[in-house]
Amino acid sequence: MGHQHITTHDKTAISYKDWGDGQPVVFSHGWPLNADVWDPQLRLVAENGYRAVAHDRRGHGRSGQPWEGNDMDTYADDLAELIEKLDLRDAVLVGHSTGGGEVARYLGRHGTARVSRVVLLSSVPPLMLKTPANPEGAPIDVFDQLRAGLLADRSQFYQDLSAMFYGANRSGSTVSQGTRDAFWMMSMQVGLKAAYDCVKEFSETDFTDDLKRIDVPTLIAQGEDDQIVPIVAAAPKAAEIVADSTLKTYPGAPHGLTGSYQDAFNNDLLSFIKS
């Protein structure tokens, strides 16, 4: 397959790429994608003197597809095993969407002993689901519809989802068909069980206590026209909880990185890592 992997405590292979040398920058991808979605950022940081590491979450991409363990605690522990087996220290953790939840839960369970900075991009924390305590969240039927779409025709579901993900359904969008095709291709590599289970994990997990444990500088960034993770329940609320956080929002930007939005985030990412 051409990718390196570690084997976790439950014998699941976690595939990862490891580019460049220097201070490690570790990237956690969103659902239902894999490490390849981060390639532009991996190359960017590796070209600038850092070690870029990105894994495929279990069930996704080139990693193993176990029936069990498609839950946020296990995702976080898989990340911990990767960081420990590669002996990464002073690491910058970068998470997008569900990957931001994975990073937050890692910090909640494993602390910041190996971590110097955190970047949460368009991430699911503190909580996506609407509850009495989180009235800004999305109602459960939004997530039930995702699950129903997955089971009915996942290939068409992913093609449709790519439009919302990159804002291709907005007037004036310049998102290419190639970008949407790449989203579809990555999504089709996820096992159906893992894809289905992960919806509950990214939507119903409350990361409030995890965010409270973050004691390193944290950049919390999000597009203001995010149709996947509505910003009203996400970045600004997370930034209120994380003690040493900087909030950066991008007017008109969608959930997925593309075009000038990607350029802006890349600049902010590099500046934050170097600061």
Side-chain angles (χ1 to χ4, degrees), residues 45-120:
V45 300
E47 289 266 343
N48 279 275
Y50 298 91
R51 179 179 179 182
V53 177
H55 64 293
D56 293 351
R57 186 167 300 116
R58 66 168 55 211
H60 296 62
R62 294 143 295 226
S63 290
Q65 296 191 7
W67 182 254
E68 301 292 347
N70 302 299
D71 61 82
M72 197 58 67
D73 286 353
T74 307
Y75 299 157
D77 292 351
D78 288 348
L79 177 58
E81 287 201 60
L82 178 69
I83 288 170
E84 284 154 24
K85 285 181 176 173
L86 298 182
D87 195 26
L88 305 180
R89 298 176 186 276
D90 195 30
V92 181
L93 301 189
V94 184
H96 175 254
S97 200
T98 297
E102 176 180 279
V103 166
R105 181 52 51 92
Y106 166 86
L107 296 163
R109 283 169 74 81
H110 300 276
T112 54
R114 291 175 174 270
V115 178
S116 60
R117 291 178 177 272
V118 174
V119 179
L120 301 177

Side-chain angles (χ1 to χ4, degrees), residues 213-235:
R213 286 202 65 190
I214 302 177
D215 58 3
V216 294
T218 302
L219 173 64
I220 299 177
Q222 188 167 11
E224 292 176 13
D225 189 32
D226 192 326
Q227 299 174 71
I228 305 291
V229 178
I231 192 169
V232 59

Side-chain angles (χ1 to χ4, degrees), residues 3 12 26 76 150 208:
H3 276 69
T12 299
V26 183
L150 264 177
T208 304

Side-chain angles (χ1 to χ4, degrees), residues 198-273:
C198 191
V199 175
K200 179 181 177 70
E201 299 305 312
F202 72 64
S203 62
E204 296 183 35
T205 303
D206 188 336
F207 297 97
T208 304
D209 290 342
D210 304 298
L211 294 175
K212 287 176 179 172
R213 286 202 65 190
I214 302 177
D215 58 3
V216 294
T218 302
L219 173 64
I220 299 177
Q222 188 167 11
E224 292 176 13
D225 189 32
D226 192 326
Q227 299 174 71
I228 305 291
V229 178
I231 192 169
V232 59
K237 292 184 80 168
E240 284 179 20
I241 298 167
V242 178
D244 185 4
S245 64
T246 303
L247 175 64
K248 180 72 190 276
T249 65
Y250 304 92
H255 184 65
L257 288 172
T258 182
S260 59
Y261 169 42
Q262 176 161 258
D263 296 340
F265 173 73
N266 286 353
N267 289 334
D268 290 340
L269 173 67
L270 216 48
S271 300
F272 181 70
I273 293 171

Side-chain angles (χ1 to χ4, degrees), residues 113-161:
R114 291 175 174 270
V115 178
S116 60
R117 291 178 177 272
V118 174
V119 179
L120 301 177
L121 171 64
S122 305
S123 290
V124 295
L127 172 62
M128 279 192 78
L129 184 68
K130 182 176 186 171
T131 65
N134 189 45
E136 302 85 6
I140 190 73
D141 53 337
V142 169
F143 306 108
D144 289 340
Q145 286 167 14
L146 294 181
R147 282 182 280 258
L150 264 177
L151 295 184
D153 183 348
R154 65 182 176 134
S155 180
Q156 187 61 48
F157 169 78
Y158 291 138
Q159 291 204 356
D160 296 341
L161 186 64

